[in-house]
Amino acid sequence: MARLSYLLAASATATLLSAAAQADSQRYIMITHGQAADPFWSIVKTGAEDAADELGVRLEYRAPTTFDVARMRQLLEAAIASEPDGIILTLTSPDAMGSLMQGAKDEGIPVVVINSGGHVARDYGADLYIGMDEHLAGKMAAERMIENGASHGLCVNHEQGNVGLDQRCEGFLEGFGGNASQLATTIDPTEIRNSLIAYLDQNREVDAILGLGPLSTEPVIEALRSEGALGQLQFGTFDLSPRILQTVAAGDMDFAIDQQPYLQGYQGVVTINQYVKHLLMPATDLLTGPAFVTPETAEQVIELTERGIR
């Protein structure tokens, strides 16, 4: 009986100590623009949560249900008001969110920007950007297609106004030297399919298509398949999903650009924690992409997606 009492007391003490440690640990808020339906953002969240677990810090992940800049402003305002130890943010609309981010810095809250807005992040007080050079990646996609024989490109943009996606298209258009256009859509799959089919019917010179993520690319796959054009055009995308990787592995897509979202989430938490605890911060931004997944490497990457890492 005495032995049982001792064990119960020890367990209760350990629980109290654990609770106290949790109460004293750093608290970080991550705000992204990603929709729950997009597999990309589940990987970012997994990376961030893995880092928080390993470090023993508290992480609050917040995002709007759809791409909504006004809602992101509200989330950022609420985050600042709660006085966290640090904020990790996707800067999708610098005009709408930059002043708030600068306000957080003025109040002594460190801010790390991930994924979007790297070109102006430091202008608004960010301590670091972790992600991909979106413009460069779009340009590299165009150059890759031109090397493989393409002459007229089309960029399918499902979120105009998202600075990261806009930069991808801008880089793509620049890479084609003016021989490319942008097709603006919403995230509605039916609209994407119908808009693309109508555009290609009126612009038969297009021989290269770039999607900006699974939300637009998967409907493009369906549209091209229904028209018998899948595998007949140069075709690539940003970001990965199981369906995209299967299409690449089958040789019906030329590439998928991986910006390694797990690293964006993971390094976002690790980096801001190192700054809060030790005032350590990399001197230059951390670029996580572009990394091209091709038919030769797709099967290996598929195995990693099953683990929620790619």
Side-chain angles (χ1 to χ4, degrees), residues 1-298:
M1 188 68 176
R3 170 71 173 170
L4 178 59
S5 297
Y6 170 79
L7 291 174
L8 290 174
S11 176
T13 300
T15 299
L16 289 172
L17 289 173
S18 176
Q22 181 75 359
D24 292 337
S25 68
Q26 282 72 32
R27 180 175 70 92
Y28 305 122
I29 297 177
M30 177 177 283
I31 302 171
T32 79
H33 63 278
Q35 296 82 44
D38 193 333
F40 178 95
W41 292 103
S42 66
I43 299 175
V44 173
K45 185 179 179 183
T46 295
E49 290 176 341
D50 284 354
D53 289 344
E54 292 174 12
L55 296 169
V57 301
R58 290 182 291 165
L59 175 71
E60 299 172 16
Y61 183 94
R62 303 174 182 178
T65 55
T66 62
F67 180 69
D68 186 337
V69 173
R71 178 58 180 151
M72 285 196 70
R73 278 184 55 89
Q74 293 172 353
L75 292 173
L76 182 54
E77 288 173 342
I80 295 169
S82 73
E83 299 182 349
D85 293 290
I87 293 174
I88 305 156
L89 174 73
T90 61
L91 186 59
T92 53
S93 179
D95 291 341
M97 302 173 65
S99 60
L100 285 176
M101 193 174 86
Q102 184 65 63
K105 285 293 298 178
D106 292 343
E107 293 185 24
I109 302 173
V111 178
V112 167
V113 170
I114 65 169
N115 182 262
S116 302
H119 65 302
V120 294
R122 292 184 185 271
D123 295 342
Y124 293 100
D127 294 289
L128 191 74
Y129 170 69
I130 302 174
M132 182 168 59
D133 185 325
E134 308 285 7
H135 187 277
L136 175 63
K139 186 176 181 181
M140 290 175 65
E143 291 170 349
R144 190 181 188 97
M145 290 174 164
I146 291 170
E147 287 176 4
N148 291 328
S151 58
H152 290 83
L154 177 66
C155 177
V156 182
N157 190 343
H158 60 281
E159 282 181 2
Q160 271 199 320
N162 178 332
V163 65
L165 301 192
D166 290 344
Q167 285 182 325
R168 293 175 181 181
C169 268
E170 290 165 5
F172 184 74
L173 299 181
E174 180 182 323
F176 264 96
N179 292 322
S181 302
Q182 180 175 185
L183 176 64
T185 72
T186 68
I187 63 172
D188 179 72
T190 301
E191 179 186 337
I192 294 170
R193 287 195 298 268
N194 293 342
S195 297
L196 178 66
I197 291 172
Y199 187 92
L200 293 178
D201 187 55
Q202 297 174 13
N203 300 271
R204 297 184 178 275
E205 73 278 6
V206 171
D207 54 8
I209 298 175
L210 180 69
L212 301 185
L215 288 178
S216 63
T217 299
E218 293 186 2
V220 170
I221 292 172
E222 284 303 308
L224 294 178
R225 178 175 284 117
S226 69
E227 296 297 299
L230 188 62
Q232 305 303 309
L233 305 173
Q234 292 282 326
F235 182 22
T237 185
F238 282 84
D239 304 328
L240 311 180
S241 74
R243 189 170 192 183
I244 286 171
L245 285 171
Q246 291 164 4
T247 306
V248 174
D252 291 327
M253 287 182 68
D254 298 285
F255 60 81
I257 298 174
D258 184 16
Q259 57 176 301
Q260 302 182 102
Y262 183 93
L263 278 181
Q264 294 177 12
Y266 187 92
Q267 291 292 346
V269 174
V270 169
T271 301
I272 205 163
N273 188 61
Q274 283 296 315
Y275 182 73
V276 168
K277 292 182 66 177
H278 304 129
L279 291 180
L280 294 173
M281 182 64 66
T284 59
D285 293 341
L286 302 180
L287 296 184
T288 62
F292 284 84
V293 179
T294 65
E296 292 75 28
T297 60

